[in-house]
Amino acid sequence: MPMSKTTKKKYLKALNRSLKKEAGKDFGSSFVFYPIGAKPKDATGVTASDAANPQELKVMETVQARVFAEFSSAAGAA
Protein backbone atom coordinates (compact mmCIF):
# COMPACT_ATOMS: atom_id res chain seq x y z
CA MET A 1 0.00 0.00 0.00
CA PRO A 2 1.52 3.37 -1.02
CA MET A 3 2.22 6.05 1.57
CA SER A 4 -0.06 9.07 1.70
CA LYS A 5 1.35 12.55 1.13
CA THR A 6 1.13 13.24 4.88
CA THR A 7 2.89 9.99 5.76
CA LYS A 8 5.65 10.73 3.25
CA LYS A 9 6.23 14.13 4.88
CA LYS A 10 6.36 12.56 8.36
CA TYR A 11 8.74 9.87 7.13
CA LEU A 12 11.13 12.40 5.57
CA LYS A 13 11.05 14.52 8.73
CA ALA A 14 11.75 11.45 10.89
CA LEU A 15 14.67 10.46 8.64
CA ASN A 16 16.31 13.87 8.88
CA ARG A 17 15.68 14.17 12.63
CA SER A 18 17.29 10.75 13.21
CA LEU A 19 20.17 11.57 10.86
CA LYS A 20 20.88 14.79 12.76
CA LYS A 21 20.88 12.89 16.08
CA GLU A 22 23.19 10.17 14.81
CA ALA A 23 25.55 12.10 12.54
CA GLY A 24 25.45 15.58 14.06
CA LYS A 25 24.15 18.88 12.80
CA ASP A 26 27.21 19.47 10.59
CA PHE A 27 26.60 16.32 8.51
CA GLY A 28 26.97 17.32 4.86
CA SER A 29 23.84 15.71 3.43
CA SER A 30 20.19 15.22 4.26
CA PHE A 31 17.32 13.13 2.98
CA VAL A 32 15.14 14.58 0.20
CA PHE A 33 12.31 13.18 -1.87
CA TYR A 34 13.17 11.24 -5.01
CA PRO A 35 13.20 12.27 -7.76
CA ILE A 36 15.06 15.27 -6.36
CA GLY A 37 12.73 18.24 -6.21
CA ALA A 38 9.57 16.11 -6.24
CA LYS A 39 6.55 17.15 -4.19
CA PRO A 40 5.44 14.57 -1.59
CA LYS A 41 2.51 13.37 -3.73
CA ASP A 42 4.87 12.69 -6.67
CA ALA A 43 7.82 11.24 -4.71
CA THR A 44 8.68 7.61 -5.30
CA GLY A 45 11.32 7.40 -2.57
CA VAL A 46 14.06 9.29 -0.77
CA THR A 47 17.71 9.96 -1.59
CA ALA A 48 20.69 12.00 -0.37
CA SER A 49 20.48 15.73 -1.04
CA ASP A 50 24.12 16.09 -2.08
CA ALA A 51 26.79 13.84 -3.46
CA ALA A 52 27.67 11.97 -0.29
CA ASN A 53 30.81 9.93 0.13
CA PRO A 54 30.55 6.18 0.83
CA GLN A 55 30.96 6.66 4.60
CA GLU A 56 28.12 9.22 4.72
CA LEU A 57 25.92 6.96 2.59
CA LYS A 58 26.51 4.10 5.03
CA VAL A 59 25.33 6.28 7.93
CA MET A 60 22.27 7.35 5.92
CA GLU A 61 21.51 3.74 4.99
CA THR A 62 21.62 2.71 8.66
CA VAL A 63 19.35 5.58 9.69
CA GLN A 64 16.90 4.86 6.86
CA ALA A 65 16.69 1.15 7.73
CA ARG A 66 15.93 1.95 11.39
CA VAL A 67 13.32 4.63 10.64
CA PHE A 68 11.68 2.47 7.97
CA ALA A 69 11.38 -0.40 10.46
CA GLU A 70 9.75 1.97 12.97
CA PHE A 71 7.29 3.22 10.35
CA SER A 72 6.52 -0.31 9.17
CA SER A 73 5.78 -1.56 12.67
CA ALA A 74 3.64 1.51 13.41
CA ALA A 75 1.67 0.96 10.19
CA GLY A 76 1.16 -2.69 11.05
CA ALA A 77 -0.16 -1.77 14.50
CA ALA A 78 -2.63 0.72 13.07
Side-chain angles (χ1 to χ4, degrees):
M1 184 165 145
M3 284 188 194
S4 70
K5 178 174 76 170
T6 302
T7 304
K8 287 179 185 179
K9 285 180 181 180
K10 288 180 182 178
Y11 181 62
L12 186 67
K13 190 172 189 174
L15 284 171
N16 283 313
R17 190 173 35 242
S18 293
L19 182 61
K20 186 176 179 181
K21 277 184 187 177
E22 183 152 331
K25 63 180 173 129
D26 295 328
F27 193 73
S29 196
S30 63
F31 289 99
V32 295
F33 288 123
Y34 181 85
I36 294 177
K39 301 283 187 208
K41 68 180 180 122
D42 300 319
T44 59
V46 293
T47 190
S49 62
D50 297 316
N53 66 44
Q55 184 178 1
E56 291 171 332
L57 289 174
K58 186 170 176 80
V59 171
M60 293 180 83
E61 182 179 315
T62 301
V63 168
Q64 185 175 10
R66 185 174 50 253
V67 172
F68 181 77
E70 292 168 7
F71 262 73
S72 295
S73 65

